[in-house]
Amino acid sequence: FQVSHRHSFSSTWHLMSKKRRPLSKTRHFLECAALRALIFFLRPLSAKTVFRLGQALGALSYSWAKKRKQTARINLNIAFGDEKSDAEKNQIIKSSFAQLAVSALQCLWVWTDPQRVHQLIEGEPAGLDQLKACKERGKGVFFLTAHYGNWEVMGIDHGYRGVCNLNSIIRRLDNPYLDEMVMEFRTVSGNGIFYRDESPLLIARALKNNEAVAVMMDQNTAKGGIFVDFFGEKAATARSIALLSHRTSAAILPLFSYPTGKGTYRIKYGPELKLEKSGDKKRDVLRWTQECEQFIEKVIRGYPDPWMWSHRRWKTRPLEEQGRKIY
């Protein structure tokens, strides 16, 4: 599930000759076949068994993924410096790898029976009253979230709550057959999907219809982003939430899933980020984006293990740091 998001085959596709293109189709077919086989294998297992299997897979990936571990260690050094010992940082990396593996297997386990998602969520989400209050204003809601815990399961659970329609912004997968499968999975509880290459008017329309749009703001934004502080280091960050909230007055409401350590999650909405306009739009967008990042940083500082530490968050550097390579 994670690999399908991060690895791009588009450039290879365009470089292929006509004679070799059928091989790409064959690869796409084999990828889907392998995914369906894994789904079939996981289907009869219990939630507890899937959790344990994910932990074992995470430990295995920790042993193999040397480059990802190096990236995670660099990130932890940036985030915590000497606040945490080497042993503590290594444990966070192990837990992060385990969480990614657990999340992936849980998604595949839920795939054949979406109602299983209820076995993974403990109790009623906190802050539903805040979501309802935001919705009553009729301006739409932005969910501020991150690659933290099991965000896919969290989205499916939200759809079943029936409080407000949720739309997620995603990248189109290079494998069209896999893209179709993932689309079906993500929309199974009534959620909508916007591709990044589609018109921003779709987002504006959803907000006008008083729907919610989820945006992940914890990854490097190579194009179109702005630089704000994240753990004390400049980070290229998407400004979409701040820009559109400033324009539409849509509420900004954090939404996160917190692992319990037992293979289940507690979900929390809010608290709402109440940001004020100063009359200087450019300055407001920068300040609002900074406040969004500060909230995500606060969540990660409080419980760092569930975050995806292996992502090169600080890869893109500002103009004044051209030539500096963090990774």
Side-chain angles (χ1 to χ4, degrees):
F1 212 70
Q2 292 299 321
V3 171
S4 67
H5 279 272
R6 288 201 295 264
H7 290 72
S8 172
F9 300 102
S10 58
S11 57
T12 305
W13 173 268
H14 290 300
L15 290 173
M16 284 182 176
S17 65
K18 291 183 179 179
K19 291 182 180 180
R20 294 191 63 188
R21 285 190 176 183
L23 293 178
S24 180
K25 291 183 179 180
T26 300
R27 185 197 62 231
H28 289 166
F29 174 79
L30 291 175
E31 286 175 350
C32 290
L35 186 65
R36 291 188 185 279
L38 186 54
I39 292 172
F40 180 79
F41 168 75
L42 294 171
R43 183 174 184 173
L45 304 182
S46 67
K48 191 173 184 179
T49 301
V50 171
F51 173 58
R52 290 176 176 174
L53 188 60
Q55 287 184 309
L57 183 61
L60 192 62
S61 65
Y62 175 82
S63 300
W64 287 351
K66 293 184 178 180
K67 288 186 178 180
R68 294 288 178 184
K69 280 195 293 186
Q70 290 173 354
T71 298
R73 186 53 185 264
I74 292 171
N75 289 341
L76 280 161
N77 288 339
I78 291 173
F80 295 107
D82 296 331
E83 293 178 34
K84 295 187 180 295
S85 66
D86 288 344
E88 288 174 316
K89 290 174 183 176
N90 288 336
Q91 184 56 53
I92 291 171
I93 296 172
K94 288 180 182 179
S95 298
S96 178
F97 274 65
Q99 181 57 56
L100 284 173
V102 167
S103 294
L105 292 190
Q106 286 176 331
C107 288
L108 298 180
W109 181 72
V110 168
W111 203 301
T112 54
D113 183 3
Q115 294 298 326
R116 284 176 165 178
V117 73
H118 302 307
Q119 299 181 42
L120 302 179
I121 307 300
E122 287 200 359
E124 185 89 349
L128 276 175
D129 55 331
Q130 295 190 48
L131 172 58
K132 293 174 182 177
C134 290
K135 192 171 183 298
E136 286 176 359
R137 298 176 204 157
K139 299 291 186 178
V141 181
F142 274 116
F143 285 143
L144 170 65
T145 189
H147 294 82
Y148 188 94
N150 194 330
W151 57 91
E152 299 282 4
V153 163
M154 178 177 69
I156 293 175
D157 175 79
H158 173 87
Y160 283 129
R161 298 285 168 184
V163 179
C164 72
N165 294 335
L166 168 63
N167 302 279
S168 298
I169 303 172
I170 65 170
R171 183 180 74 80
R172 198 182 300 273
L173 301 184
D174 301 291
N175 183 332
Y177 310 115
L178 191 59
D179 187 76
E180 185 177 346
M181 289 178 63
V182 173
M183 169 72 83
E184 183 180 349
F185 171 72
R186 286 172 164 163
T187 58
V188 70
S189 63
N191 295 332
I193 291 294
F194 296 145
Y195 286 113
R196 290 182 184 176
D197 57 1
E198 292 182 316
S199 171
L201 291 175
L202 294 175
I203 299 176
R205 188 178 303 161
L207 295 174
K208 187 176 181 179
N209 292 334
N210 203 22
E211 297 179 2
V213 177
V215 180
M216 292 184 165
M217 288 185 62
D218 63 327
Q219 290 202 320
N220 183 65
T221 303
K223 295 181 180 180
I226 55 178
F227 287 92
V228 296
D229 289 336
F230 189 55
F231 285 98
E233 187 73 67
K234 292 294 182 184
T237 306
R239 57 179 178 173
S240 53
I241 282 186
L243 190 62
L244 288 173
S245 178
H246 195 280
R247 184 179 303 168
T248 65
S249 297
I252 300 177
L253 191 70
L255 173 59
F256 284 83
S257 66
Y258 297 87
T260 64
K262 302 178 293 182
T264 56
Y265 305 88
R266 293 190 179 95
I267 295 176
K268 182 178 180 180
Y269 294 84
E272 181 186 357
L273 300 186
K274 297 182 179 181
L275 307 175
E276 298 180 356
K277 295 181 180 180
S278 67
D280 186 334
K281 180 179 178 180
K282 185 176 181 180
R283 184 178 178 181
D284 287 347
V285 169
L286 179 63
R287 179 169 54 85
W288 290 14
T289 302
Q290 179 65 76
E291 293 196 33
C292 287
E293 285 302 283
Q294 284 178 345
F295 187 92
I296 295 174
E297 178 182 327
K298 182 180 178 181
V299 170
I300 297 170
R301 279 189 180 278
Y303 187 10
D305 299 39
W307 192 49
M308 193 168 66
W309 286 98
S310 56
H311 171 68
R312 292 187 292 179
R313 178 65 182 95
W314 291 275
K315 179 182 178 181
T316 301
R317 307 312 307 146
L319 288 175
E320 63 270 20
E321 293 184 23
Q322 289 303 306
R324 179 192 176 201
K325 292 185 178 179
I326 289 181
Y327 303 102

